[in-house]
């Protein structure tokens, strides 16, 4: 097992706007080859985050859940956006789809339910684990593995301190 350097932080979204702010931060730092993973219970806000992220990178129109298609591709302002939901992904489909072509391709990828396919993910990635708080609050536990994602965690930490 590769033991890459990783960094952790947390982001509390008291309401949907807090989730949108986090998505906007990550979108601003994204580049071709960026991989963001999302985990959390049903209704935690994985797709909501993905939609906010898509908007932030300039994807026009509606982004909805790719549950039945596994991967949807969109054209963003500066690069493509690959939106995956791997909840129902089988190994055969994974082989056919060639996930690495997306992860190491020209766009930015978000993977919902990524913890179901740990061995298929690229080593370097940023992982978001969403849990529910009271009312409309959400807690994001965030882990950046490798560069540039460890740096992203430190930058998020600074953003939080500025806002506090
Ligand atoms: N702070 C918040 N952040 C994100 N979503 C929120 C927040 N507060 C309320 N919501 C609402 O929670 C719902 C989250 O649903 P969403 O479809 O994004 O969940 P999901 O994690 O993708 O679930 P599933 O696994 O069933 O696809 C949305 O209706 C959204 O409006
Ligand atoms: Mg969803």
């Amino acid at each position: 097992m590769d033991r890459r350097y990783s960094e952790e932080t947390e982001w509390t979204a008291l309401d949907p706007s807090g989730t949108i702010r986090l998505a906007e931060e990550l979108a601003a730092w994204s580049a071709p080859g960026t991989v963001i993973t999302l985990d959390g219970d049903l209704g935690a806000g994985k797709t909501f985050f993905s939609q906010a992220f898509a908007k932030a990178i300039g994807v026009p129109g509606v982004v909805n859940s790719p549950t039945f298609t596994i991967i949807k591709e969109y054209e963003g302002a500066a690069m493509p956006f690959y939106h995956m939901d791997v909840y129902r992904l089988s190994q055969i489909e994974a082989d056919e789809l060639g996930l690495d072509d997306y992860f190491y391709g020209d766009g930015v990828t978000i993977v919902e339910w990524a913890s179901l396919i740990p061995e298929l993910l690229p080593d370097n990635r940023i992982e978001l684990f969403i849990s529910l708080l009271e009312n409309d609050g959400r807690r994001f536990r965030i882990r950046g593995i490798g560069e540039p994602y460890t740096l992203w965690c430190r930058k998020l930490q600074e953003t939080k301190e500025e806002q506090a």
Side-chain angles (χ1 to χ4, degrees), residues 26 36-39 49 126-130 140-142:
L26 301 192
I36 299 170
T37 74
L38 289 169
D39 283 280
F49 175 93
I126 188 159
E127 301 180 330
L128 311 184
F129 301 91
I130 313 173
F140 290 78
R141 283 187 301 110
I142 302 172

Side-chain angles (χ1 to χ4, degrees), residues 13-17 19 40-49 65 67 85 112-113 136-138 140:
L14 294 178
D15 55 30
S17 73
T19 298
D41 291 338
L42 298 173
K46 300 179 296 296
T47 300
F48 184 92
F49 175 93
S65 178
T67 305
D85 183 327
E112 298 194 30
W113 293 105
D136 279 345
R138 301 288 190 275
F140 290 78

Side-chain angles (χ1 to χ4, degrees), residues 37 57 61 84 86 139:
T37 74
I57 63 158
M84 297 186 189
V86 299
R139 169 144 310 131

